């Protein structure tokens, strides 16, 4: 497809409008002489749209939506333009080794042997905790499971983390602390039944466009549907809202507690639900303690609408109205993403959204659910479910629990008490230790040199002379390659087969459509080769391909509440995905969890309709979590709040979307969005070069002046490798989830 910047922006706008109008794909490209169609999953966001990949002469020539998957044939422009990414000119086609400062072509044996030798040397000299693995929510489930097994089970090293720590860890913490198990309660079908959408900390229209289309369609087709959007920016999501609450950044805890206060005061709660299915808890002196409903009511007493209005900047009447809409609708669905997760109180914010659902009983019925949206295509199915984070083991187990370790030892055929008992290093701690405590690191398909917060601090370590870093990567221009010692060329997307798990617990098979270029290989094979050369017993990693890894992972899952033993490769090939739990080959998958008759983990003869089997008392937890400010609040020196995020057509660090000529031409650069009042005060006009400074660095960016940001707030997207916006962000972390607070830091701006 060849279109210029003007046409692209026109298409982009048209696509957005069509999404709102509930029509088919806006960009109907002509058939490109496709020889065969292969079923797959989009490579980008956590929506996980099913795609049909059109192939001709071993090339992807076209991508269209899969009408049988949840997206019903719809795609956004990013998905439709994937062919340019697959065949980008800078694809890596042979291994590279850094020699005299330059990455130089090498043979597979040289690159594998050198990497294995460096890892073995580090472990021999400094022990197993001196190495590590950093993965991604974009890897296949099989790749994440295998890397986790190799490092935690084979090398006895728990330094296994990944970029979902930067985007989803607080959602995991929220689900686990409230319901006892990770992952959402409901499914995308709830979007079609909800009559009230409570969207907080999510610009769904740009970050999950195809899901947004369903919300917009609900609103267009049913006059009773209400949309509440809580966001300090007037995003395209906010533009369809009945109520847009332009909140002061970092004050959602006060808002959510005030909504609970109003719900109780106006008796809009559902006592039959929360008295039976919820328990109340708070943390005191660092320990969870039981509380009563009356304790909770007393705790909420100070969160009056007026007090919350002072903290949040939202009028008290609007807070009251939002609480009333939430509680009185026939079905309320909450949706959130990075705006709640990338915060030092991210887990608490997640808990407080769940609280509202537990108080009002708006859970476990069509349209009533508390649903975290995921940023990446396989953060859920790949990293969260396989336990590929430093504190986790597969299928909801945790490293710190001896029983869980013993279960995994038995499943992996290891001697009892052989797994390392301590959690490993989480993302920022892992890169913070690089070169010192951690000597050798393997990175699989992610770009930490651009995506870590306060990134200059960590790139110093990436340059550390005492570190060795091997990177498995598909593209030659990722920022992280500047610091790699060895690079392995990876098969990309539909050049190999494997499973993706999207936000709704749906596992879908990405089938192999074409061969990888040059000497590029599937990451599963690279990992097996590396493991055996590092000394891992070949019987521990007997896999020739991802299908064999999947079969083992299915079996491992069968002893857990994540059970998807029934999802054979054959079934996944025939369907457009299944939702776990799915314990047997005739099970249809599970759309609603924790409900008798819906979730196979709830016994058919359980006396109660709901059973929160992840918690020892069988109840979900309503947490008493007070309002706390952000880690870095604005002050006289840095009077503004800076927030970062995505834009609709660029994705993450831009390594893929920048390969698409139309996207690159239309959205070439980062910019800074400034409220018109702030711009006027600072004498800044649209398009001016603006110096943006925080305590960690400064960047010059073109100004976009308007009314999208609320006064006092600036926004910058982080896709542009020429302008590393993460040099400015703060790396303060949530003390439960260890997720950094990308969304809020103090900044100042001036005309450059
Ligand atoms: S909404 Fe997400 S998954 Fe769907 S086509 Fe767009 S980027 Fe891909």
């Amino acid at each position: 497809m060849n279109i210029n910047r003007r046409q692209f922006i026109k298409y982009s706008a048209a696509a957005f409008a069509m999404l709102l109008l509930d029509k088919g794909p806006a960009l109907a490209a002509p058939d490109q002489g496709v020889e065969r169609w292969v079923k797959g999953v989009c490579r980008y966001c956590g929506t996980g749209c099913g795609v049909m990949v059109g192939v001709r002469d071993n090339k992807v020539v076209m991508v269209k939506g899969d009408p049988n998957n949840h997206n019903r044939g719809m795609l956004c422009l990013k998905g439709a333009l994937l062919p340019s990414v697959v065949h980008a000119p800078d694809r890596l086609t042979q291994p590279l080794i850094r020699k005299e400062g330059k990455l130089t072509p090498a043979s597979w044996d040289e690159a594998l042997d050198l990497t294995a030798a460096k890892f073995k040397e580090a472990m021999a000299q400094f022990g197993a905790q001196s190495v590590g693995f950093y993965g991604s929510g974009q890897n296949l489930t099989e790749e994440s499971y295998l890397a986790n097994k190799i490092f935690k089970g084979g090398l006895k090293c728990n330094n296994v983390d990944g970029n979902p720590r930067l985007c989803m860890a607080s959602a995991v913490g929220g689900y686990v602390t409230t319901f006892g198990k990770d992952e959402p309660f409901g499914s995308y079908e709830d979007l079609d039944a909800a009559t009230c959408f409570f969207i907080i900390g999510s610009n769904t229209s740009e970050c999950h466009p195809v899901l947004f289309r369903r919300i917009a369609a609900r609103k267009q087709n049913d006059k009773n549907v209400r949309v509440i959007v809580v966001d300090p920016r007037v995003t395209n999501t906010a533009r369809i809202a009945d109520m847009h609450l332009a909140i002061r950044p970092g004050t959602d805890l006060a808002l959510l507690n005030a909504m609970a206060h109003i719900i109780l005061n106006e008796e809009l709660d559902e006592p039959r639900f929360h008295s039976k299915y919820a328990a109340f808890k708070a943390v005191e002196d660092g320990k969870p303690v039981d509380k009563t409903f009356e304790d909770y009511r007393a705790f909420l007493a100070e969160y009056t609408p007026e007090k919350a209005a002072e903290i949040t900047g939202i009028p008290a009447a609007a807070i009251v109205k939002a609480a009333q809409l939430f509680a009185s609708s026939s079905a309320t669905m909450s949706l959130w993403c990075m705006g709640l997760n990338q915060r030092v109180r991210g887990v608490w914010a997640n808990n407080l959204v769940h609280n509202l659902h537990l108080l009002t009983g708006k859970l476990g019925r069509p349209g009533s659910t508390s649903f975290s949206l995921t940023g990446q295509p396989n953060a859920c199915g790949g990293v969260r479910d396989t336990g590929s984070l430093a504190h986790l083991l597969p299928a909801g187990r945790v490293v710190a629990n001896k029983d869980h370790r013993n279960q995994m030892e038995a499943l992996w055929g290891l001697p009892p008490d052989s797994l390392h008992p301590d959690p490993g290093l989480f993302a920022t701690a892992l890169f913070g230790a690089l070169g010192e405590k951690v000597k050798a690191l393997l990175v699989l398909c992610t770009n930490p040199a651009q995506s870590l917060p306060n990134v200059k601090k960590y790139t110093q370590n990436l340059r550390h002379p005492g570190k060795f870093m091997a990177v498995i990567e598909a593209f030659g221009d990722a920022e992280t390659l500047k610091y790699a010692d060895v690079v392995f060329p990876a098969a990309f997307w539909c050049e190999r087969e494997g499973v993706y798990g999207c936000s709704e617990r749906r596992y879908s098979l990405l089938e192999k459509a074409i061969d990888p270029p040059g000497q590029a290989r599937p990451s599963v094979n690279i990992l097996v080769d590396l493991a055996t050369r590092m000394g891992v017993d070949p019987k521990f990693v007997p896999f020739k391909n991802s299908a064999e890894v999947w079969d083992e992972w299915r079996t491992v899952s069968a002893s857990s509440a994540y059970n998807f033993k029934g999802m054979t490769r054959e079934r996944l090939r025939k369907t457009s995905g299944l939702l776990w739990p799915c314990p047997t080959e005739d099970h249809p998958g599970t759309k609603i969890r924790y409900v008798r008759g819906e979730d196979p983990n709830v016994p058919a003869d359980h006396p109660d309709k709901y059973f929160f089997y992840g918690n020892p008392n069988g109840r979900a937890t309503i947490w008493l979590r007070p309002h706390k400010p952000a880690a870095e609040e604005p002050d006289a020196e840095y009077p503004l709040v800076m927030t970062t995020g995505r834009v609709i057509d660029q994705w993450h660090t831009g390594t893929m979307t920048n390969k698409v000529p139309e996207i690159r031409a239309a959205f070439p650069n980062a910019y800074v969005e400034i409220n018109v009042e702030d711009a006027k005060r600072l004498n800044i006009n649209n398009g001016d070069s603006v110096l943006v400074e925080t305590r960690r660095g400064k960047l010059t960016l073109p100004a976009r002046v308007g009314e999208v940001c609320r006064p006092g707030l600036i926004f910058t997207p982080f896709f542009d490798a020429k302008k590393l916006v993460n040099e400015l962000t703060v790396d303060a972390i949530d003390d439960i989830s260890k997720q950094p607070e990308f969304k809020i830091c103090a900044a100042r701006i001036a005309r450059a």
Side-chain angles (χ1 to χ4, degrees), residues 543-599:
F543 312 112
K544 288 189 287 303
N545 53 47
S546 71
E548 293 180 0
V549 182
W550 177 254
D551 272 345
E552 177 175 304
W553 174 217
R554 260 189 332 119
T555 305
V556 167
S557 80
S559 55
S560 76
Y562 291 60
N563 192 348
F564 54 91
K565 176 82 174 143
M567 291 190 202
T568 61
R569 208 66 161 192
E570 220 26 61
R571 262 190 104 186
L572 289 180
R573 221 176 283 289
K574 282 188 195 142
T575 60
S576 287
L578 292 160
L579 280 70
W580 62 263
C582 178
T584 55
E585 288 183 33
D586 57 357
H587 192 279
T590 301
K591 293 197 177 133
I592 301 178
R593 291 169 89 192
Y594 307 115
V595 174
R596 191 184 54 213
E598 299 277 351
D599 182 339

Side-chain angles (χ1 to χ4, degrees), residues 42 44-45 47-49 75-76 78-79 209-210:
C42 173
Y44 295 113
C45 82
T47 302
C49 292
L75 294 180
C76 74
K78 291 191 291 293
V210 168

Side-chain angles (χ1 to χ4, degrees), residues 620-674:
T621 306
I622 290 181
W623 285 95
L624 284 61
R625 305 286 204 195
H627 168 67
K628 296 267 185 201
E632 191 179 80
E633 293 275 298
D635 56 19
E637 220 185 329
Y638 294 92
L640 302 174
V641 171
M642 185 180 101
T643 193
T644 68
R646 290 187 194 165
V647 291
I648 186 164
D649 291 311
Q650 287 278 10
W651 196 73
H652 265 209
T653 59
T655 46
M656 289 181 284
T657 40
N658 257 331
K659 306 280 185 290
V660 181
E662 294 87 351
I663 292 180
R664 201 171 53 238
F667 300 95
N669 302 318
Y671 54 86
V672 56
E673 215 171 71
I674 307 166

Side-chain angles (χ1 to χ4, degrees), residues 645-725:
R646 290 187 194 165
V647 291
I648 186 164
D649 291 311
Q650 287 278 10
W651 196 73
H652 265 209
T653 59
T655 46
M656 289 181 284
T657 40
N658 257 331
K659 306 280 185 290
V660 181
E662 294 87 351
I663 292 180
R664 201 171 53 238
F667 300 95
N669 302 318
Y671 54 86
V672 56
E673 215 171 71
I674 307 166
N675 181 273
V676 68
E677 282 177 28
D678 294 322
K680 197 167 165 198
R681 188 169 43 79
L682 296 164
N683 196 21
I684 293 170
N685 297 307
N686 210 13
D688 283 353
S689 279
V690 171
L691 185 68
V692 182
E693 279 185 276
T694 72
R695 289 190 169 84
R696 292 150 295 281
K698 52 188 167 187
L699 278 181
T700 305
L701 296 167
R704 274 198 195 176
V705 176
E707 293 191 338
V708 175
C709 282
R710 56 172 279 145
L713 178 74
I714 57 172
F715 167 84
T716 59
F718 68 95
F719 67 82
D720 186 357
K722 302 183 297 304
K723 300 283 183 184
L724 293 182
V725 164

Side-chain angles (χ1 to χ4, degrees), residues 446-520:
T446 180
N447 194 14
Q450 189 174 340
S451 59
L452 286 168
N454 190 7
V455 71
K456 258 193 198 162
K457 178 172 150 185
Y458 301 100
T459 43
Q460 275 174 19
N461 295 23
L462 288 170
R463 288 193 192 94
H464 196 295
K467 79 95 186 56
F468 172 85
M469 182 170 71
V471 178
I472 302 173
E473 174 57 66
F475 301 106
D477 64 347
E479 191 68 14
T480 305
L481 296 194
K482 289 181 184 165
Y483 310 96
D485 299 290
V486 169
V487 179
F488 296 105
F492 175 70
W493 192 44
C494 59
E495 293 162 357
R496 84 288 198 218
E497 181 185 283
V499 175
Y500 279 107
C502 69
S503 296
E504 65 162 353
R505 291 176 285 106
R506 177 187 296 267
Y507 288 162
S508 304
L509 184 66
L510 168 77
E511 296 184 20
K512 182 177 171 184
I514 57 168
D515 294 323
Q519 298 176 36

Side-chain angles (χ1 to χ4, degrees), residues 252 318 324 339 488 665:
D252 337 51
Q324 290 168 340
F488 296 105

